[in-house]
Short mmCIF file of all heavy atoms in Angstrom, two decimals:
data_model
loop_
_atom_site.label_atom_id
_atom_site.label_comp_id
_atom_site.label_asym_id
_atom_site.label_seq_id
_atom_site.Cartn_x
_atom_site.Cartn_y
_atom_site.Cartn_z
N ASP A 146 81.03 160.94 32.72
CA ASP A 146 80.52 162.12 32.02
C ASP A 146 79.71 163.02 32.97
O ASP A 146 78.98 163.88 32.53
CB ASP A 146 79.68 161.70 30.81
CG ASP A 146 79.42 162.82 29.84
OD1 ASP A 146 80.40 163.52 29.46
OD2 ASP A 146 78.24 163.03 29.47
N HIS A 147 79.82 162.77 34.27
CA HIS A 147 79.14 163.56 35.31
C HIS A 147 77.61 163.49 35.17
O HIS A 147 76.92 164.47 35.43
CB HIS A 147 79.61 165.01 35.31
CG HIS A 147 81.10 165.13 35.38
ND1 HIS A 147 81.80 164.83 36.52
CD2 HIS A 147 82.02 165.47 34.45
CE1 HIS A 147 83.09 164.99 36.31
NE2 HIS A 147 83.26 165.38 35.05
N GLN A 148 77.11 162.32 34.81
CA GLN A 148 75.67 162.11 34.69
C GLN A 148 75.25 161.03 35.70
O GLN A 148 74.72 159.98 35.34
CB GLN A 148 75.30 161.70 33.28
CG GLN A 148 75.59 162.74 32.23
CD GLN A 148 75.09 162.34 30.88
OE1 GLN A 148 73.95 161.88 30.73
NE2 GLN A 148 75.93 162.49 29.85
N SER A 149 75.47 161.32 36.95
CA SER A 149 75.21 160.35 38.03
C SER A 149 73.76 159.89 38.09
O SER A 149 73.50 158.72 38.34
CB SER A 149 75.60 160.94 39.37
OG SER A 149 76.97 161.26 39.38
N ALA A 150 72.83 160.81 37.89
CA ALA A 150 71.42 160.45 37.95
C ALA A 150 71.06 159.41 36.89
O ALA A 150 70.28 158.49 37.14
CB ALA A 150 70.54 161.69 37.81
N ARG A 151 71.63 159.54 35.71
CA ARG A 151 71.37 158.58 34.63
C ARG A 151 72.16 157.29 34.86
O ARG A 151 71.73 156.21 34.46
CB ARG A 151 71.75 159.17 33.26
CG ARG A 151 70.76 160.18 32.73
CD ARG A 151 71.13 160.66 31.36
NE ARG A 151 71.03 159.59 30.36
CZ ARG A 151 71.59 159.66 29.16
NH1 ARG A 151 72.29 160.72 28.80
NH2 ARG A 151 71.47 158.66 28.32
N ALA A 152 73.31 157.42 35.50
CA ALA A 152 74.17 156.25 35.73
C ALA A 152 73.60 155.31 36.79
O ALA A 152 73.71 154.09 36.68
CB ALA A 152 75.57 156.70 36.14
N LEU A 153 72.99 155.88 37.82
CA LEU A 153 72.56 155.09 38.97
C LEU A 153 71.66 153.91 38.62
O LEU A 153 71.93 152.78 39.06
CB LEU A 153 71.91 155.99 40.02
CG LEU A 153 71.64 155.37 41.37
CD1 LEU A 153 72.92 154.80 41.97
CD2 LEU A 153 71.03 156.39 42.30
N PRO A 154 70.59 154.07 37.84
CA PRO A 154 69.75 152.89 37.55
C PRO A 154 70.52 151.80 36.76
O PRO A 154 70.29 150.63 36.97
CB PRO A 154 68.58 153.45 36.73
CG PRO A 154 68.85 154.87 36.49
CD PRO A 154 70.03 155.28 37.28
N LEU A 155 71.40 152.23 35.89
CA LEU A 155 72.18 151.24 35.13
C LEU A 155 73.15 150.50 36.04
O LEU A 155 73.31 149.27 35.95
CB LEU A 155 72.96 151.93 33.99
CG LEU A 155 72.11 152.46 32.85
CD1 LEU A 155 72.91 153.37 31.94
CD2 LEU A 155 71.51 151.31 32.07
N LEU A 156 73.79 151.22 36.94
CA LEU A 156 74.69 150.59 37.89
C LEU A 156 73.93 149.63 38.81
O LEU A 156 74.42 148.53 39.08
CB LEU A 156 75.44 151.65 38.70
CG LEU A 156 76.41 152.51 37.92
CD1 LEU A 156 76.89 153.68 38.74
CD2 LEU A 156 77.58 151.67 37.43
N ARG A 157 72.78 150.03 39.26
CA ARG A 157 71.99 149.13 40.12
C ARG A 157 71.58 147.87 39.36
O ARG A 157 71.60 146.77 39.92
CB ARG A 157 70.76 149.85 40.65
CG ARG A 157 71.08 150.82 41.75
CD ARG A 157 69.86 151.47 42.32
NE ARG A 157 70.21 152.25 43.51
CZ ARG A 157 69.53 153.29 43.93
NH1 ARG A 157 68.43 153.70 43.28
NH2 ARG A 157 69.90 153.94 45.00
N GLN A 158 71.20 148.03 38.10
CA GLN A 158 70.84 146.87 37.27
C GLN A 158 72.07 145.97 37.10
O GLN A 158 71.95 144.75 37.24
CB GLN A 158 70.33 147.33 35.92
CG GLN A 158 69.94 146.20 35.00
CD GLN A 158 69.54 146.68 33.61
OE1 GLN A 158 69.65 147.86 33.28
NE2 GLN A 158 69.09 145.74 32.79
N GLY A 159 73.20 146.56 36.82
CA GLY A 159 74.43 145.76 36.65
C GLY A 159 74.79 145.04 37.92
O GLY A 159 75.17 143.85 37.89
N CYS A 160 74.65 145.70 39.08
CA CYS A 160 74.98 145.07 40.37
C CYS A 160 74.00 143.97 40.70
O CYS A 160 74.37 142.96 41.31
CB CYS A 160 74.98 146.10 41.48
SG CYS A 160 76.35 147.27 41.40
N LYS A 161 72.76 144.14 40.31
CA LYS A 161 71.74 143.11 40.56
C LYS A 161 72.08 141.83 39.79
O LYS A 161 71.92 140.74 40.31
CB LYS A 161 70.37 143.63 40.14
CG LYS A 161 69.24 142.70 40.43
CD LYS A 161 67.92 143.34 40.03
CE LYS A 161 66.78 142.37 40.20
NZ LYS A 161 65.50 142.95 39.72
N LEU A 162 72.60 142.00 38.59
CA LEU A 162 72.93 140.85 37.75
C LEU A 162 74.30 140.26 38.10
O LEU A 162 74.52 139.05 37.94
CB LEU A 162 72.92 141.25 36.27
CG LEU A 162 71.56 141.62 35.70
CD1 LEU A 162 71.69 142.24 34.32
CD2 LEU A 162 70.67 140.37 35.64
N SER A 163 75.21 141.10 38.51
CA SER A 163 76.58 140.65 38.81
C SER A 163 77.14 141.51 39.94
O SER A 163 77.67 142.59 39.71
CB SER A 163 77.46 140.79 37.56
OG SER A 163 78.76 140.34 37.81
N ASP A 164 76.97 141.01 41.14
CA ASP A 164 77.36 141.77 42.33
C ASP A 164 78.86 141.69 42.54
O ASP A 164 79.38 140.70 43.04
CB ASP A 164 76.61 141.21 43.55
CG ASP A 164 76.72 142.09 44.76
OD1 ASP A 164 77.09 143.28 44.59
OD2 ASP A 164 76.48 141.60 45.86
N THR A 165 79.56 142.75 42.09
CA THR A 165 81.01 142.81 42.25
C THR A 165 81.38 144.02 43.07
O THR A 165 80.60 144.95 43.24
CB THR A 165 81.70 142.91 40.87
OG1 THR A 165 81.32 144.15 40.27
CG2 THR A 165 81.32 141.76 39.95
N ALA A 166 82.61 144.01 43.56
CA ALA A 166 83.11 145.14 44.34
C ALA A 166 83.16 146.40 43.48
O ALA A 166 82.79 147.49 43.93
CB ALA A 166 84.48 144.83 44.91
N ALA A 167 83.58 146.28 42.24
CA ALA A 167 83.65 147.43 41.34
C ALA A 167 82.28 148.04 41.13
O ALA A 167 82.12 149.28 41.10
CB ALA A 167 84.26 147.03 40.00
N CYS A 168 81.28 147.20 41.02
CA CYS A 168 79.91 147.68 40.84
C CYS A 168 79.43 148.43 42.09
O CYS A 168 78.82 149.50 42.00
CB CYS A 168 79.01 146.50 40.52
SG CYS A 168 77.45 146.98 39.77
N ALA A 169 79.73 147.88 43.25
CA ALA A 169 79.33 148.54 44.49
C ALA A 169 80.01 149.89 44.65
O ALA A 169 79.39 150.87 45.06
CB ALA A 169 79.66 147.64 45.67
#
Side-chain angles (χ1 to χ4, degrees):
D146 196 48
H147 307 290
Q148 297 185 47
S149 300
R151 285 184 66 197
L153 191 56
L155 290 168
L156 293 169
R157 285 183 172 154
Q158 180 185 6
C160 290
K161 183 178 176 184
L162 293 169
S163 181
D164 192 18
T165 64
C168 198

